[in-house]
Amino acid sequence: MSPAQITGLVLSGGGARAAYQVGVLRALMRMRRETAAHDGTNPFDVICGTSAGAINASALACRADDVEQAVQDLCAVWESFRAEQVYRADSLGLIRSGAQWLTMLSVGWLVARWRRARPKSLLDNSPLADLLRQAVPLHRLHGLLAEGHLQALAVTASSYTSGEHVTFYQSARPMQPWSRTQRRAVPAKIGLDHLLASSAIPFVFPSSELEWGGTAEWFGDGSMRQTAPISPAIHLGATRVLVIGAGRMHEPADRRVPNRGYPSLAQIAGHAMSSIFLDALAVDIERLERINRTLALLPSHALQDTTLRPVQALVISPSQRLDDIAAQHQARLPLPVRTLLRGVGVTGQGREARGATLASYLLFEAEYTRELMALGEADAWAMRGEVLRFFGWGALAEQSSTSVMAA
């Protein structure tokens, strides 16, 4: 492995679906131990995350001096999750947020005449802020960057105010910001508000106000308008990138879905969320592979005249549809939440489930998140050979075995 290799980790968004990423990470840590490749260092030089992936990414970055422990801590959180840790799931909390929001959608013109009701979102995610304060020690980030445990952390959010897609990054050394059409990057001290903004699923969670460029803007989920999810890692210096998704990259060509009548609001919302959270990543991976193939055809002198460079990418994504898994667990949502979501078409369980795609993003319940983690572990182990080659851990294991035999 070349000493110049810089490894980037990209964690995509997806609400409760991000439990899958933690399962993959747990498998990677075990592989590293079993191949004698564990030397106490952080295997990820650049860590980038969006939405719930930004929370997982930040938790890793803020314990970059002991990534094994960071993954264990993440597993402990995701294995014991309850929806109440992320959003108000009690009747009173939902009346103050979701019920008002749905009322404003239906008879808002009437309510506005006699009451200044301005509900911000379907759900109140104030409990999430308390959880993040405990689980993500952001105060450690600056010191870990200075000590060389990490080169950069990037968190992406989308501005409702300006329409810009912004990547906030904190790095060990000054790095030139980049700008592309409707997306730009700015250096920042990553804070709690950045994580809340990046994970603010549109309509579901409230946006957060962030300052950048001397002004304050309202930001929501970073998966919105994210046309190049892998780009921040490459701009921050990564020469190879591990991408962990939270949804299948491609559906089987022969998949058939029965027509059950006109789609409910939940079905439409779930479809929109899949477009936001999944499609851009699949397209960006195809773009990266296409560029790599093109560069491989160029002669060496032509490569010197372009700023493009080949980037090795390894993608681990669910082998099963997470919507189908969510359908088996919809009844585990708190009763007040199920009651609220029933109004938009989230009903039933198993084969009788409706609106499972929408539910899959909100099912912060241990039985569901544990199943996703188990799937993540299984998928990572199924790609063990590719993982070892990507990190060079297989070669280290062979060297270790040879040394023992010689002794």
Side-chain angles (χ1 to χ4, degrees):
M1 181 180 65
S2 169
Q5 285 276 33
I6 298 176
T7 304
L9 172 66
V10 176
L11 302 178
S12 64
R17 291 167 169 251
Y20 175 86
Q21 300 169 351
V22 181
V24 172
L25 290 169
R26 179 157 62 184
L28 296 184
M29 295 301 102
R30 181 180 165 190
M31 289 180 202
R32 188 168 72 150
R33 290 193 303 270
E34 293 185 355
T35 55
H38 181 33
D39 58 1
T41 62
N42 174 19
F44 309 114
D45 304 294
V46 175
I47 303 179
C48 304
T50 304
S51 192
I55 294 174
N56 286 339
S58 298
L60 288 178
C62 292
R63 290 189 176 89
D65 54 339
D66 191 348
V67 175
E68 290 265 352
Q69 187 61 50
V71 172
Q72 290 180 29
D73 292 344
L74 271 174
C75 288
V77 171
W78 284 94
E79 283 179 328
S80 59
F81 243 137
R82 286 290 177 258
E84 292 87 349
Q85 295 175 274
V86 179
Y87 51 82
R88 290 282 302 273
D90 59 290
S91 298
L92 180 59
L94 290 174
I95 289 173
R96 289 177 173 175
S97 59
Q100 276 196 16
W101 190 79
L102 291 176
T103 300
M104 287 296 291
L105 283 179
S106 57
V107 292
W109 61 273
L110 178 62
V111 175
R113 291 180 65 89
W114 61 272
R115 183 179 179 185
R116 293 183 178 179
R118 297 187 62 187
K120 297 178 179 178
S121 58
L122 183 65
L123 298 173
D124 173 6
N125 68 340
S126 54
L128 178 60
D130 295 329
L131 176 63
L132 293 180
R133 290 187 186 95
Q134 301 172 24
V136 186
L138 289 164
H139 64 276
R140 302 189 72 234
L141 183 58
H142 175 77
L144 294 171
L145 289 165
E147 293 167 8
H149 295 289
L150 180 73
Q151 292 192 21
L153 168 67
V155 171
T156 300
S158 185
S159 173
Y160 290 122
T161 305
S162 66
E164 293 277 3
H165 184 77
V166 183
T167 295
F168 299 93
Y169 66 92
Q170 190 169 343
S171 55
R173 56 182 177 81
M175 304 191 77
Q176 186 67 30
W178 61 93
S179 178
R180 298 293 184 270
T181 302
Q182 293 187 333
R183 59 185 174 95
R184 55 180 71 217
V186 294
K189 182 179 180 181
I190 304 297
L192 177 65
D193 287 342
H194 292 92
L195 302 188
L196 291 174
S198 182
S199 59
I201 299 174
F203 301 112
V204 177
F205 296 142
S207 58
S208 294
E209 193 174 26
L210 300 174
E211 289 190 11
W212 74 288
T215 60
E217 297 185 11
W218 290 97
F219 283 83
D221 200 296
S223 297
M224 294 185 290
R225 308 190 75 174
Q226 187 175 44
T227 57
I230 305 174
S231 174
I234 297 174
H235 280 289
L236 291 170
T239 57
R240 61 182 182 184
V241 181
L242 170 64
V243 182
I244 307 178
R248 296 188 69 170
M249 293 294 102
H250 304 284
E251 293 289 355
D254 59 348
R255 180 171 175 261
R256 293 290 184 269
V257 179
N259 185 337
R260 293 171 173 169
Y262 192 83
S264 67
L265 182 59
Q267 285 178 280
I268 296 171
H271 182 73
M273 285 189 180
S274 294
S275 299
I276 291 172
F277 288 106
L278 306 179
D279 293 353
L281 180 58
V283 171
D284 203 27
I285 291 169
E286 289 179 357
R287 181 189 301 119
L288 178 63
E289 293 173 345
R290 190 163 56 249
I291 292 173
N292 283 343
R293 289 195 298 269
T294 301
L295 292 175
L297 298 175
L298 296 179
S300 57
H301 66 83
L303 287 174
Q304 296 175 0
D305 297 330
T306 178
T307 58
L308 296 175
R309 66 179 188 276
V311 176
Q312 181 185 2
L314 176 63
V315 182
I316 303 178
S317 63
S319 58
Q320 300 178 29
R321 298 187 75 248
L322 303 193
D323 301 359
D324 295 341
I325 298 176
Q328 304 299 322
H329 295 278
Q330 281 188 183
R332 299 188 185 280
L333 283 166
L335 178 59
V337 178
R338 296 204 312 271
T339 303
L340 177 68
L341 294 179
R342 191 178 300 127
V344 295
V346 178
T347 61
Q349 184 168 320
R351 292 185 178 180
E352 301 302 318
R354 302 289 188 275
T357 301
L358 176 59
S360 72
Y361 295 93
L362 303 179
L363 261 167
F364 292 94
E365 295 292 333
E367 295 81 2
Y368 173 65
T369 56
R370 286 175 186 168
E371 190 165 345
L372 297 196
M373 291 171 67
L375 178 62
E377 285 190 86
D379 287 346
W381 278 104
M383 298 179 63
R384 183 175 183 272
E386 295 171 71
V387 171
L388 297 186
R389 286 192 294 273
F390 178 84
F391 285 101
W393 293 343
L396 290 175
E398 291 176 6
Q399 294 173 10
S400 175
S401 176
T402 302
S403 297
V404 170
M405 293 175 62

